[in-house]
Amino acid sequence: MSAETLIGKSIPRIGSVEKALGRARYTGDIILPGMLYGKVLRSPHAHARIVNIDTTKAERIPGVKAVVTGIKDTPRGALFGIIPHTRDHLLLPYDKVRYVGEEVAAVAAIDEDIAEEAVSAIKVEYEPLPFVLTWQDAMKEGAPLVHEHRAKNMAAHYLVHEGNVEEALARSHYVWEHEFTCEVASHALPEPFTALCSFEPSGKYNFWMQTQCPFQVRQGLHNTMKVPLSDIRLHSVPMGGAHGGRSDTPPGAFIAGLLSRKAGKPVQIKFSREEVEDAMRDKAAKVWRVKIGFAKDGAITGRDIFMMLECGAYASSAIVELWVPLLIDEVLWRSPAYRYDAHLVYTNKTISSMMRTRAHVGPMSLDVAFDQVSKELGIDPIELRLKNAVLPNEVVPSKSIVTSTALSESIVMAAKKAKYSQKRGKLAYGRGIGIGSGNMQAMFYMGFRSGSTAFIKFNDDGSCTLFTGNCDLGQGNVTLHTQVAAEELGIPMSTIKVCYGDTELCYQDPGNYSMSATVVSANAVKKAAQDARRRILETAGDLLDVSREEVEQKEDGRYYVKRRIGKGTSVSLGDVCRSAFKRGKPVYGFGDYRARIDYSDFSVDVKQPYNEKTYGQKVTAYSFGTTAVEVKVDTETGQVTVTDIWAVNDCGTVLNPLLVRGQMHAQLSFMLGQGLYETNVWDEKTGRKLTSTYRTYKVPTANETPRIETYTLGIPDPDGPYGAKEGSLGFGCGLHGAIANAIYDAVGIRVYDVPFKPETILKLLKEKEAKEKRKKNSG
Amino acid sequence: MYYYRRLPQFEYVAPGSLKEAASFLQAHPRETRVMAGGTILLHRMKERIGVKKYVMSLKAVPGLDAIDKAPGQVKIGSMVTIQTIADAPVVRRQCGLLAAACQMLGTPQIRSMGTIGGNVACNLATAEIVPVLIALDAQATLAGAKGSRTVSVEELYREVRDGEFVTEILVPVKAGQAWGYEKWAMRKRFDYATVSAAVAIAGTGRVCKDAKIALGGVTLPTRRARRAEEILKGRSLTNRLIVEAAEAAAEDARTGADIHFTAEYKKELIKVMVSRALKQAVSPGKEG
Ligand SMILES: Cc1cc2nc3c(=O)[nH]c(=O)nc-3n(C[C@H](O)[C@H](O)[C@H](O)COP(=O)(O)OP(=O)(O)OC[C@H]3O[C@@H](n4cnc5c(N)ncnc54)[C@H](O)[C@@H]3O)c2cc1C
């Protein structure tokens, strides 16, 4: 093998140049012969019974090739939901509509104009029903039920209780409590949802679409279309953004499938911006009430958490939102007694589901608490954090072992780089500094995910194709997997091509959520490459007349007999591949990797896998990190500007510093948007979302991006490939806590509700001024 | 319907002369939309707002895309893009307020497509160049069947008749004029002003001879802060006076809540923006 390692090298992301030059081919660029254009008719009501759908006029319009409705064209009762408990979602409903923008009917026509005309020619008779937009309203006595079989609109409940929290809090030296909230947030993905389906006469559905997890989407389509898995093929294509928002089985794909089968032609469905924002997925609004007990020395004695989550109209995949905050919150700070009591509540709004920053309220609550309690207990806030930070090999309340963590190191480093202790309390009025920590799970089980399998096949010239069920959302998984394979095989990255996320050619993979691409998929790739390398050495040995163990690969890439003096004979990889093929044992490699998880409920008889089983190793690895921020508060308008961020990432071994840095900037920008700029608003009268465009949903741009310094710690993880874990989320999940603390440092007010809106801050500032004035006058 | 983004059916005409344009518009006054850069028009047509049978582009009309320096004024053709105005040395030198506001509008793409004529003619509270032109006392030339006439930008919406369109904006150049411009939005750039304030002050030293204060992001047509202007006239612009004027501007402004901000907060912003813009005028180069 060549002496120089690829691990730790900055390698530009494969495919970025094409994207930057506008040459990447996205789903919407694929045009198949005879392709039709699909359009979806959507509900104007937040909640209504569907009385009748009349499609006759639409069907008669020349150029219309298919019209589909739930009642006529979908298998009865085929519901989507990622676990049995949450199978509540008809992807094309026929009973009720439950939010504005929900799919009602669809057409396929020879062009988009005709499809639009036909959609508006469909007559739907609705019986409007009262609706609920907030969890508070949804839980009121007599509130309209989003799903009749779920009393009080309770979609699901999840409880973890370790130790006796009440007792622990009662015995604490000091108990701090507060309520935190965060609003519904959108992924605001730049590439609108697009799906292309080509139904073949053999009965097979070919899909091209954006997805983070082709195998899970295929499973959802299999459950709802009622066709064998082998009749559904997903092709992965370059994507314009994902961030968790492409994890579901989207109704748009299901409908493209129905239309294509009915018309016998390929059908493309491309959403408008408004359709994306109304009818794809959001991040749930949350209320997070926490009580934290502290001992005199600052050690946390117990935490009691109560969370309400708005899941939107369906719990189908929103259930994940119920589980994940625990996986973040229970890990960061040690807590001998711990209760996590979480409730998912239906509302007549856009469906909530996965998003990269969904768990930030938990970390924020602790960082804000530390900032306040440090004064109360007279302990330096950094000391207080270090006292409670989780250490390697500790066991979290729900019984996962944290095999690697450099949380403490990240706190110390962020504080040092930002000169936190020198600046805190000493900056000019209106300027402030704050610190916050976060973490993220790398590979999370969820009751249905396990390992990944990779395959490598060599060509006659020594080049090869790597097959992985994992895909590339833009973060650089193709680059990662190529790099790992090249490292193990000792061949140039340019000779490896990756076939990814094709459900027919590739083996199953957990998919790209909860950060499994490195700890799971790349481990499988590594094993496949090692397997292929063994075969290469074997054939090389045959050619050189020695055993496999006697063969070595030198820096020129050729295979030699070990310890031979002088140049000696050698063979190239091409020689090996050609001769292996002739001998009837071609060079390939196969690699299985099963994540280190407690799979004890992974059985067919468990009714509610995962949701019932609350204890055990649920996560393979955890990443950590800390961010320090400096802010400027405009005391006349209440507007907060983050001017500087120092971010420290405990992502294990850094495989590719360039990509890690890029991911860190992305995460900080995403968090910044949700922390300061982005708000979703619903019209209380109609139930319509009012923020479905980029004009109204204010994603920050390069102009709002502060000065950012990124650091990595490079402490290896025992499970991840070469010691790597997750590099793009965990470190930044403490940003909101850091900003909240910095606002306090700047102007002396406390904020608990994300986003931190200028109007709220101005109001709090005025209240504070008035209070101070009164004090002055009376004193 | 609001999910649809395709353009509706329309007929496109692109007259090659001012005369031709005027007579086409005269022939179909109620059935025609004038198109300049199209950055507002096409979007609204996709949303099915104000769709008409014809779209008459001004692109092929010669002479509408020039900036000319005339005695006492700068003439800007209605088809001159926002970016061209922001970059033009004559505008930067003679009408700094206009150049500053143009540079802060929208995005590079929008500034390169959108025109001053479209901004002035769109009759939307969001048009940011309008308050600036009002503060500068600018006039607009309207072309119609009976030739052309000139009206003040402030009166444009009341004045313009069916069959007329804007050909030119005339910005007076006044020696010794001080100015200030403040725009507040959630994002620094690439955002419409929630509130903006444009001020132009005539006078010597700190004493204000005349003041024009115009607001953006407020309900049409109360763009002028007249009482605030009166407060300043003939007096020395102390910080205290500035605050008094700013408070008057906020009090008088007619502004409602939008989806993100309450009317009270916007009033607060008006106060801050007017006061900052005035301070900027008093001591240029210093912000806030
Ligand atoms: C993403 C985005 C961001 C934007 N940001 C801003 C911003 O920050 N601030 C802001 O002020 N605006 C903004 N705009 C709005 C718009 O781009 C600008 O106001 C621009 O100046 C409009 O000019 P236009 O040439 O494109 O107008 P058009 O769209 O061509 O026309 C607008 C209207 O005026 C009429 N019209 C055009 N020219 C004439 C004429 N000569 N005579 C009579 N009527 C005419 C048209 O019929 C139409 O009704 C933004 C737009 C977009 C899409």
Side-chain angles (χ1 to χ4, degrees):
Chain A
M1 205 186 293
S2 59
E4 219 184 309
T5 173
L6 290 169
I7 302 308
K9 267 229 164 102
S10 277
I11 301 159
R13 181 184 168 280
I14 295 167
S16 283
V17 172
E18 286 87 330
K19 276 191 171 180
L21 293 176
R23 289 183 192 146
R25 281 205 280 148
Y26 296 89
T27 309
D29 297 320
I30 304 171
I31 302 206
L32 297 179
M35 188 175 90
L36 304 174
Y37 297 84
K39 291 278 170 196
V40 180
L41 179 69
R42 300 186 175 280
S43 165
H45 299 287
H47 196 190
R49 204 166 301 289
I50 301 172
V51 178
N52 187 42
I53 305 179
D54 180 2
T55 58
T56 41
K57 229 175 116 193
E59 277 156 22
R60 276 197 224 116
I61 293 172
V64 171
K65 300 294 178 189
V67 180
V68 294
T69 61
I71 197 80
K72 283 196 194 134
D73 301 281
T74 61
R76 266 317 71 87
L79 297 157
F80 170 62
I82 61 167
I83 60 167
H85 180 76
T86 63
R87 298 225 165 108
D88 61 2
H89 190 181
L90 283 172
L91 295 183
L92 189 55
Y94 39 79
D95 55 342
K96 289 209 294 187
V97 285
R98 295 178 170 87
Y99 66 99
V100 176
E102 182 161 13
E103 296 74 12
V104 176
V107 299
I110 53 169
D111 68 34
E112 284 189 78
D113 292 315
I114 295 173
E116 271 188 11
E117 188 192 338
V119 156
S120 49
I122 297 173
K123 294 261 164 320
V124 187
E125 202 184 312
Y126 295 101
E127 179 195 323
L129 300 167
F131 56 86
V132 284
L133 293 178
T134 62
W135 69 266
Q136 288 93 337
D137 286 346
M139 292 191 69
K140 277 183 191 146
E141 204 59 57
L145 292 180
V146 182
H147 295 264
E148 275 78 8
H149 67 292
R150 294 267 186 243
K152 287 206 144 177
N153 287 311
M154 288 297 303
H157 176 221
Y158 191 64
L159 176 74
V160 168
H161 192 173
E162 178 65 9
N164 188 333
V165 168
E166 271 117 17
E167 219 179 278
L169 291 179
R171 282 207 316 261
S172 295
H173 169 71
Y174 184 79
V175 177
W176 186 89
E177 61 177 291
H178 216 281
E179 180 176 294
F180 292 77
T181 67
C182 74
E183 286 185 4
V184 173
S186 302
H187 301 86
L189 303 173
E191 185 199 4
F193 171 80
T194 312
L196 167 60
C197 180
S198 174
F199 178 74
E200 291 172 9
S202 66
K204 196 159 122 192
Y205 296 83
N206 274 292
F207 287 97
W208 289 261
M209 59 189 280
Q210 314 108 335
T211 173
Q212 304 187 217
C213 43
F215 289 91
Q216 285 74 12
V217 170
R218 186 182 62 159
Q219 184 68 40
L221 290 171
H222 159 76
N223 292 347
T224 49
M225 298 173 91
K226 299 272 184 223
V227 294
L229 283 168
S230 55
D231 274 348
I232 305 170
R233 178 176 184 181
L234 261 73
H235 304 254
S236 291
V237 242
M239 268 176 264
H243 309 301
R246 309 220 202 256
S247 315
D248 281 286
T249 301
F254 174 78
I255 291 168
L258 298 180
L259 287 170
S260 180
R261 185 186 59 198
K262 199 158 184 180
K265 292 255 167 71
V267 174
Q268 180 209 71
I269 292 185
K270 202 188 286 182
F271 281 10
S272 68
R273 173 57 46 194
E274 289 85 345
E275 285 183 288
V276 171
E277 298 309 333
D278 287 10
M280 291 302 287
R281 295 292 189 274
D282 277 338
K283 180 182 83 172
K286 289 186 190 73
V287 169
W288 179 275
R289 288 182 198 139
V290 61
K291 280 189 200 149
I292 312 168
F294 287 91
K296 210 170 188 161
D297 66 353
I300 292 174
T301 54
R303 298 217 295 278
D304 196 0
I305 292 134
F306 174 79
M307 179 174 72
M308 299 300 299
L309 268 174
E310 276 172 14
C311 89
Y314 297 98
S316 41
S317 57
I319 184 82
V320 179
E321 293 275 282
L322 196 60
W323 304 331
V324 170
L326 167 81
L327 302 178
I328 311 287
D329 185 73
E330 65 169 355
V331 180
L332 266 177
W333 315 104
R334 193 177 306 118
S335 191
Y338 185 87
R339 177 160 60 193
Y340 174 84
D341 182 8
H343 305 259
L344 190 63
V345 184
Y346 288 118
T347 54
N348 292 107
K349 291 204 289 206
T350 301
I351 308 164
S352 286
S353 183
M354 298 164 220
M355 188 186 282
R356 60 187 300 163
T357 54
R358 61 193 156 207
H360 60 246
V361 265
M364 177 170 82
S365 68
L366 267 299
D367 276 310
V368 170
F370 287 140
D371 211 53
Q372 299 185 23
V373 173
S374 84
K375 208 168 165 190
E376 223 56 58
L377 300 182
I379 304 173
D380 175 79
I382 299 296
E383 287 307 312
L384 194 55
R385 283 178 172 81
L386 293 177
K387 174 134 221 134
N388 291 292
V390 68
L391 295 171
N393 296 317
E394 281 191 40
V395 179
V396 306
S398 78
K399 303 284 175 269
S400 288
I401 300 172
V402 180
T403 46
S404 75
T405 168
L407 173 59
S408 301
E409 290 85 340
S410 77
I411 296 167
V412 171
M413 190 166 182
K416 192 169 148 220
K417 294 289 177 191
K419 300 198 169 62
Y420 173 79
S421 299
Q422 293 96 304
K423 290 178 187 167
R424 186 168 179 262
K426 297 188 189 76
L427 298 172
Y429 185 68
R431 297 255 178 190
I433 192 159
I435 199 163
S437 298
N439 73 311
M440 188 57 69
Q441 75 285 0
M443 179 58 190
F444 154 41
Y445 162 47
M446 291 167 70
F448 55 83
R449 305 166 80 212
S450 63
S452 179
T453 301
F455 182 70
I456 300 180
K457 120 180 138 93
F458 276 81
N459 301 309
D460 268 7
D461 61 351
S463 67
C464 65
T465 307
L466 163 65
F467 296 81
T468 168
N470 195 259
C471 41
D472 197 323
L473 320 183
Q475 78 276 64
N477 289 346
V478 165
T479 315
L480 162 74
H481 295 143
T482 308
Q483 180 189 6
V484 168
E487 173 73 11
E488 292 301 319
L489 287 160
I491 61 176
M493 283 177 68
S494 59
T495 63
I496 305 171
K497 288 288 168 303
V498 182
C499 169
Y500 64 90
D502 182 324
T503 56
E504 193 145 304
L505 301 180
C506 306
Y507 292 89
Q508 192 121 346
D509 181 87
N512 283 293
Y513 41 80
S514 88
M515 315 303 110
S516 52
T518 303
V519 293
V520 180
S521 315
N523 258 328
V525 169
K526 191 177 171 196
K527 286 176 86 177
Q530 287 167 345
D531 186 38
R533 182 173 169 80
R534 213 188 55 241
R535 284 174 222 275
I536 291 167
L537 295 179
E538 203 152 293
T539 306
D542 287 353
L543 292 176
L544 294 167
D545 251 350
V546 293
S547 73
R548 185 176 83 206
E549 290 76 23
E550 293 292 301
V551 179
E552 70 173 339
Q553 188 186 11
K554 288 199 176 163
E555 265 161 50
D556 61 2
R558 296 176 69 88
Y559 301 88
Y560 292 82
V561 178
K562 263 186 199 163
R563 287 182 297 276
R564 179 102 354 135
I565 298 169
K567 196 150 194 310
T569 45
S570 65
V571 290
S572 71
L573 182 56
D575 298 337
V576 169
C577 291
R578 267 189 305 280
S579 121
F581 175 69
K582 278 187 208 141
R583 288 156 193 239
K585 38 179 213 178
V587 177
Y588 66 87
F590 194 81
D592 268 326
Y593 183 83
R594 199 174 188 221
R596 192 175 50 78
I597 292 282
D598 171 7
Y599 294 103
S600 57
D601 69 338
F602 205 45
S603 102
V604 280
D605 354 298
V606 176
K607 282 266 162 41
Q608 309 301 342
Y610 201 82
N611 207 49
E612 278 179 359
K613 179 176 171 293
T614 48
Y615 292 88
Q617 188 81 32
K618 294 204 228 52
V619 168
T620 303
Y622 295 95
S623 62
F624 296 85
T626 301
T627 48
V629 305
E630 239 180 89
V631 304
K632 193 172 83 187
V633 180
D634 184 331
T635 53
E636 288 181 313
T637 64
Q639 197 168 32
V640 176
T641 309
V642 172
T643 58
D644 301 83
I645 303 181
W646 296 264
V648 184
N649 194 345
D650 165 30
C651 58
T653 303
V654 181
L655 299 179
N656 184 341
L658 184 67
L659 287 198
V660 170
R661 199 174 340 123
Q663 285 297 300
M664 288 178 74
H665 278 251
Q667 167 71 341
L668 293 170
S669 181
F670 209 84
M671 287 291 289
L672 199 64
Q674 294 185 2
L676 293 177
Y677 301 96
E678 301 167 21
T679 316
N680 271 309
V681 183
W682 270 265
D683 181 0
E684 282 171 27
K685 284 198 205 84
T686 59
R688 231 180 88 176
K689 198 195 239 184
L690 299 174
T691 39
S692 314
T693 66
Y694 280 152
R695 178 174 164 185
T696 45
Y697 189 77
K698 314 237 181 216
V699 179
T701 69
N703 290 316
E704 282 72 43
T705 305
R707 202 184 63 84
I708 295 174
E709 283 179 23
T710 59
Y711 301 94
T712 48
L713 291 164
I715 297 170
D717 176 81
D719 288 290
Y722 316 98
K725 35 191 188 181
E726 178 279 314
S728 71
L729 297 192
F731 81 94
C733 279
L735 190 74
H736 294 167
I739 296 174
N741 288 339
I743 292 172
Y744 180 77
D745 191 44
V747 292
I749 57 160
R750 289 281 175 198
V751 284
Y752 302 95
D753 305 310
V754 180
F756 310 130
K757 294 180 188 171
E759 187 160 356
T760 316
I761 290 174
L762 189 66
K763 202 174 130 231
L764 291 170
L765 273 170
K766 293 206 157 168
E767 281 169 16
K768 183 180 148 240
E769 274 164 26
K771 215 158 128 195
E772 279 165 3
K773 221 184 218 166
R774 259 184 275 128
K775 230 185 187 165
K776 228 181 181 171
N777 290 347
S778 65
Chain B
M1 279 299 271
Y2 84 112
Y3 292 111
Y4 301 161
R5 300 300 293 273
R6 309 273 303 166
L7 280 170
Q9 294 277 321
F10 62 88
E11 271 177 56
Y12 179 80
V13 287
S17 73
L18 208 54
K19 220 170 133 196
E20 234 182 279
S23 59
F24 184 86
L25 203 55
Q26 196 59 33
H28 313 277
R30 299 249 159 93
E31 294 166 300
T32 308
R33 285 264 165 225
V34 175
M35 179 162 108
T39 58
I40 297 173
L41 182 72
L42 296 178
H43 184 79
R44 287 167 78 83
M45 285 170 66
K46 285 179 179 177
E47 290 189 327
R48 305 299 188 266
I49 301 170
V51 178
K52 293 192 178 171
K53 188 172 170 198
Y54 301 104
V55 167
M56 182 185 89
S57 170
L58 297 178
K59 227 172 238 163
V61 177
L64 295 184
D65 57 355
I67 301 178
D68 294 314
K69 174 84 186 77
Q73 64 182 7
V74 175
K75 295 175 164 185
I76 303 172
S78 70
M79 289 296 282
V80 179
T81 67
I82 302 291
Q83 191 64 59
T84 306
I85 298 171
D87 292 340
V90 58
V91 180
R92 292 164 71 116
R93 251 192 337 266
Q94 314 272 6
C95 337
L97 172 55
L98 179 61
C102 284
Q103 191 51 48
M104 286 165 80
L105 184 145
T107 66
Q109 294 94 320
I110 293 301
R111 292 196 294 272
S112 306
M113 290 289 292
T115 65
I116 189 165
N119 199 287
V120 165
C122 69
N123 198 7
L124 297 170
T126 48
E128 280 163 25
I129 305 306
V130 174
V132 170
L133 293 174
I134 291 174
L136 290 172
D137 251 340
Q139 300 199 300
T141 304
L142 292 168
K146 294 187 212 97
S148 67
R149 63 194 184 107
T150 296
V151 300
S152 78
V153 169
E154 198 175 353
E155 295 300 319
L156 184 69
Y157 302 138
R158 275 187 287 273
E159 283 281 339
V160 69
R161 291 181 214 122
D162 279 346
E164 283 184 326
F165 62 100
V166 181
T167 55
E168 205 170 40
I169 305 293
L170 311 168
V171 188
V173 174
K174 294 174 186 163
Q177 188 179 50
W179 58 269
Y181 183 68
E182 288 285 333
K183 168 174 172 175
W184 193 93
M186 276 305 279
R187 289 187 292 237
K188 286 182 208 127
R189 292 293 141 82
F190 192 178
D191 211 348
Y192 283 91
T194 299
V195 165
S196 66
V199 307
I201 306 282
T204 44
R206 268 180 97 89
V207 176
C208 163
K209 249 176 42 201
D210 192 18
K212 280 266 163 66
I213 303 176
L215 305 174
V218 295
T219 321
L220 290 170
T222 53
R223 290 189 186 262
R224 280 276 293 283
R226 290 178 192 277
R227 192 157 62 89
E229 291 170 359
E230 290 307 319
I231 289 172
L232 300 177
K233 273 183 204 163
R235 296 171 72 181
S236 164
L237 297 184
T238 60
N239 275 353
R240 203 190 197 136
L241 192 71
I242 285 173
V243 170
E244 194 189 327
E247 275 169 359
E251 228 169 80
D252 295 354
R254 257 203 276 153
T255 182
D258 60 31
I259 60 171
H260 292 304
F261 303 105
T262 62
E264 298 85 73
Y265 182 64
K266 285 204 208 167
K267 288 214 162 199
E268 200 63 43
L269 286 177
I270 290 172
K271 192 173 88 191
V272 178
M273 291 305 113
V274 169
S275 124
R276 285 182 186 176
L278 285 169
K279 284 180 190 160
Q280 205 187 318
V282 171
S283 45
K286 267 198 225 151
E287 269 177 53

